[in-house]
Amino acid sequence: EKGGYEWFMLKEIAEQPRAVADTLLGRHSIDGHLQLDEMRLSDDELRDVDKVIIVAAGTSYYAGMTAKYAIEHWTRIHCEVELASEFRYRDPILDRSTLVVTISQSGETMDTLMAIRYARQQRARVLSICNTNGSTIPRESDAVIYTHAGPEVAVASTKGFLAQVVACYLLALYMAQVKGVKYGDEIASLIAELEKTPAGIQRMLDEGDQVRKLAAQLAGSRSILFLGRHVGYPVALEGALKLKELAYIHAEGFAAGELKHGPIALIEEGVPVFIVVPPKARDQLQEKIVSNIQEIRARGARTIVLAEDGDMDVVPFADHLIRLPKVPTLLQPLVATVPLQIFACELASQLGHDVDQPRNLAKSVTVE
Ligand code: F6R
């Protein structure tokens, strides 16, 4: 049951520290050696992999976009991400050394399942990241890593998403370990950073009131935009998707660097824009996005800035400032997504919509 929450979605948002911790649990030893028991692909098979193609739909696709940054950075293996519904229609180049990674909360998404069948026909190996034990997608895959988010009831995915990002990162680190490009101490320190994120997520939950107030102020908006760079880009896309599906408000996410190539024309007086600012440690990225914020604010946008503690550069340009805990860049989506989920849920609720069962949507999309 809903455990005292108004919506399953709120309950599932609140369960995210646990979902992340449980997905990390028992998968490594103190010296940083990763063990993924359900892996079912031998180390030799993994060492042969020269290309990873991530295939997924919707929110799971955004988890895949996030994972691409980590996989390429940590393993130095080429990685592509593709929508499941597009994948098999473009004649993709696959062979025995291609690892197709599918991501699915339900394990029943037909687009993703058809992509798996296609990839295996082409002799690629398929590893699935899935939240549902015994569902069709893991059964039809060569290997599986389960996310341990627990059952997700609300149609909009929340804890499933964070757990997917974590599972993808575990896979990336595991491949780096097998390939010998990362060693125990490095892996151990990255795992230690991952293990700190549940506390950071909890803090975002505890500070949810500011977001709820913001939702009340912005409930009359016709359109809301989201900007991000690097792993903040999929976070922006996810923030926009949540708002579309729950609040039925027009919302779009953009890569901030693309603004001047078109979307900046959408900026007009009063349009709310969420901006996910990369950590200060990524000074070039951070500086660029600060100038983006300046640009859109000068054109009348109402800026809602998500930036880490201590980033003072953004302060003069933020109409609303949402503080994030300091985390390594690749882990920022795990904390930055949370206020966007709360925002969409709250805004939809204020508009009187059924948050758990949005119109026209189903939890498992079992048709193509
Ligand atoms: C968004 C949402 C959908 C799913 C998508 C894939 O909140 O829930 O976009 O993420 O339909 O579903 P799975 O992960 O079950 O394959």
Side-chain angles (χ1 to χ4, degrees), residues 23 33 59 61 63 89 105 120 126 254 275 298 323 325 339 344 350:
T23 299
H33 191 81
T59 288
Y61 172 71
Y89 298 103
Q105 191 286 129
R120 294 189 77 192
V126 177
F254 300 106
I275 308 105
R323 284 297 185 188
Q350 292 193 9

Side-chain angles (χ1 to χ4, degrees), residues 233-254:
Y233 172 38
V235 172
L237 295 171
E238 172 62 3
L241 179 63
K242 283 282 139 351
L243 205 57
K244 287 178 228 186
E245 52 182 350
L246 301 175
Y248 321 144
I249 288 180
H250 173 255
E252 271 194 77
F254 300 106

Side-chain angles (χ1 to χ4, degrees), residues 57-60 103-107 109 155-157 164 241-242 245 365:
T59 288
S60 301
I103 308 175
S104 176
Q105 191 286 129
S106 64
T109 300
V155 164
S157 183
Q164 285 167 345
L241 179 63
K242 283 282 139 351
E245 52 182 350
V365 184

Side-chain angles (χ1 to χ4, degrees), residues 33-276:
H33 191 81
L34 279 166
Q35 260 169 309
L36 301 178
D37 293 333
E38 328 95 311
M39 190 59 202
R40 299 204 304 250
L41 284 176
S42 71
D43 287 359
D44 279 340
E45 284 170 310
L46 275 185
R47 267 189 288 269
D48 281 346
V49 170
D50 61 10
K51 184 168 73 175
V52 174
I53 306 181
I54 303 178
V55 179
T59 288
S60 301
Y61 172 71
Y62 300 145
M65 280 180 72
T66 310
K68 174 188 162 89
Y69 292 87
I71 290 174
E72 291 198 334
H73 184 64
W74 288 336
T75 70
R76 307 310 294 152
I77 298 172
H78 184 85
C79 178
E80 298 169 17
V81 193
E82 182 136 15
L83 291 168
S85 55
E86 289 293 325
F87 174 68
R88 72 197 170 102
Y89 298 103
R90 71 161 169 106
D91 199 11
I93 300 165
L94 302 168
D95 60 32
R96 204 67 194 138
S97 48
T98 309
L99 180 66
V100 172
V101 175
T102 71
I103 308 175
S104 176
Q105 191 286 129
S106 64
E108 301 295 345
T109 300
M110 188 55 76
D111 288 314
T112 308
L113 182 61
M114 296 312 275
I116 291 175
R117 291 185 181 156
Y118 178 85
R120 294 189 77 192
Q121 271 164 16
Q122 308 292 311
R123 300 185 66 249
R125 295 187 171 95
V126 177
L127 180 146
S128 291
I129 291 176
C130 185
N131 196 46
T132 312
N133 260 296
S135 54
T136 312
I137 284 174
R139 272 192 282 122
E140 294 207 14
S141 304
D142 298 300
V144 54
I145 299 176
Y146 281 108
T147 48
H148 296 153
E152 201 177 57
V153 176
V155 164
S157 183
T158 53
K159 62 177 181 172
F161 173 73
L162 291 201
Q164 285 167 345
V165 172
V166 170
C168 288
Y169 285 10
L170 286 171
L171 172 64
L173 290 174
Y174 186 77
M175 291 180 76
Q177 169 181 288
V178 169
K179 271 195 77 184
V181 293
K182 284 243 175 301
Y183 300 99
D185 51 344
E186 256 179 301
I187 292 176
S189 77
L190 288 162
I191 295 276
E193 289 293 347
L194 275 166
E195 285 184 325
K196 284 189 222 155
T197 57
I201 296 164
Q202 186 59 49
R203 171 180 147 189
M204 300 318 295
L205 298 172
D206 296 341
E207 294 173 6
D209 268 351
Q210 51 167 344
V211 183
R212 283 186 271 275
K213 285 195 195 115
L214 193 62
Q217 289 170 28
L218 299 182
S221 307
R222 263 195 317 132
S223 169
I224 299 185
L225 306 178
F226 295 78
L227 298 178
R229 289 190 94 104
H230 195 267
V231 289
Y233 172 38
V235 172
L237 295 171
E238 172 62 3
L241 179 63
K242 283 282 139 351
L243 205 57
K244 287 178 228 186
E245 52 182 350
L246 301 175
Y248 321 144
I249 288 180
H250 173 255
E252 271 194 77
F254 300 106
E258 279 293 293
L259 260 182
K260 56 186 170 304
H261 301 292
I264 198 161
L266 290 170
I267 305 295
E268 57 188 12
E269 197 58 40
V271 59
V273 185
F274 283 78
I275 308 105
V276 186

Side-chain angles (χ1 to χ4, degrees), residues 262-291:
I264 198 161
L266 290 170
I267 305 295
E268 57 188 12
E269 197 58 40
V271 59
V273 185
F274 283 78
I275 308 105
V276 186
V277 180
K280 284 276 276 180
R282 299 300 295 260
D283 52 342
Q284 289 192 346
L285 279 181
Q286 190 267 2
E287 269 169 35
K288 291 212 169 86
I289 214 161
V290 172
S291 84

